[in-house]
């Protein structure tokens, strides 16, 4: 990978190899991030090809270092992809790439409030123009709403106890920083167990802040409308909640609580989920939870 990028793209070769079936085609990188996947896609396209990229994070847009007449970058959430394409007189595309992970640029910046490793202000907004932050979730959601967040998005069996602890604490004072939240919980057991607990806790709050699950469901439905027949979609997810939604949609054409397809819109390119190699995990430990699924519109 080119050293000009500050974020190591996950499953780079695996995701691009099966995605590009037409070098003349129009492709979409819905989560530009550090630009690594976009750079790899452009190398696979010829001079007639086009790449549309999106990112809701202003920092990613500012850091864009790709200068190519075939490349067009927009500041927006990927849920708005069809509107963006239509405004540019594009109605069908040959392929879509989605990387649902949080980038190293976001995790390693303490101002963004994604990590529990530094005493940063709780934020976690991917779109910095949003008015809804992690502080709002922790200090303003009802006890029942907190239970739902931790049960559904963190898959905690003791979600009620976690919600109760936060609720009682904030009655005395607001929970403002990552350490304010971390210090509420004493987790018995190994370092690995504690690390896992806080990773899931912060994950569940981040999902709520950015409405990630609902956005994913809506986007999958949109993807079937903008893909050409024979076009492909590659989705990289990082936790079981996302992966179940993607797997079920690709296999059954159905998303729970959304409109069901009468016919199966996709066929799986790989029957089994694709995981990072041992070497990639060694080189980039943050890739260890990544899961890739690729499907073709039928």
């Amino acid at each position: 990978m080119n050293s000009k990028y500050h974020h190591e793209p996950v499953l780079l070769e695996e995701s691009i190899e099966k995605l590009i079936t037409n070098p003349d085609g129009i492709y979409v990188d819905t989560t530009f991030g550090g630009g690594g996947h976009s750079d790899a896609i452009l190398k696979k396209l010829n001079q007639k090809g086009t790449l549309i990229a999106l990112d809701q994070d202003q920092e990613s847009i500012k850091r864009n270092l790709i200068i190519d007449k075939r490349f067009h970058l927009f500041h927006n959430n990927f849920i708005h992809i069809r509107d963006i394409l239509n405004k540019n007189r594009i109605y069908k595309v040959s392929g879509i790439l989605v990387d649902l992970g949080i980038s190293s640029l976001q995790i390693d910046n303490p101002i963004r409030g994604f990590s529990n490793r530094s005493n940063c202000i709780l934020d976690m907004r991917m779109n910095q123009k949003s008015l809804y932050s992690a502080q709002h979730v922790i200090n303003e959601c009802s006890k029942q709403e907190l239970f739902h967040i931790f049960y559904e998005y963190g898959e905690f069996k003791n979600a009620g106890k976690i919600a109760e602890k936060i609720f009682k604490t904030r009655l005395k004072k607001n929970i403002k920083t990552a350490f304010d939240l971390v210090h509420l919980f004493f987790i018995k057991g190994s370092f690995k167990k504690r690390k896992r607990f806080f990773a899931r806790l912060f994950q569940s709050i981040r999902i709520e802040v950015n409405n990630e699950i609902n956005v994913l469901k809506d986007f999958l439905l949109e993807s079937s409308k903008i893909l050409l027949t024979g076009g492909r979609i590659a989705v990289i997810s990082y936790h079981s909640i996302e992966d179940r939604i993607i797997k079920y949609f690709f296999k059954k054409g159905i998303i729970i609580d959304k409109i069901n397809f009468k016919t199966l819109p996709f066929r799986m390119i790989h029957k089994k989920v694709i995981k990072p190699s041992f070497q990639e995990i060694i080189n980039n430990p943050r890739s260890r939870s990544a899961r890739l699924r690729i499907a073709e519109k039928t």
Side-chain angles (χ1 to χ4, degrees), residues 123-134:
D123 191 330
M124 304 192 196
R125 293 172 298 163
M126 290 185 178
N127 181 353
Q128 292 158 297
K129 290 186 177 180
S130 171
L131 300 178
Y132 190 52
S133 73

Side-chain angles (χ1 to χ4, degrees), residues 259-270:
I259 298 171
N260 295 343
F261 285 92
K262 294 181 180 178
T263 57
L264 189 65
F266 292 103
R267 72 173 184 89
M268 300 284 285
I269 299 301
H270 297 276

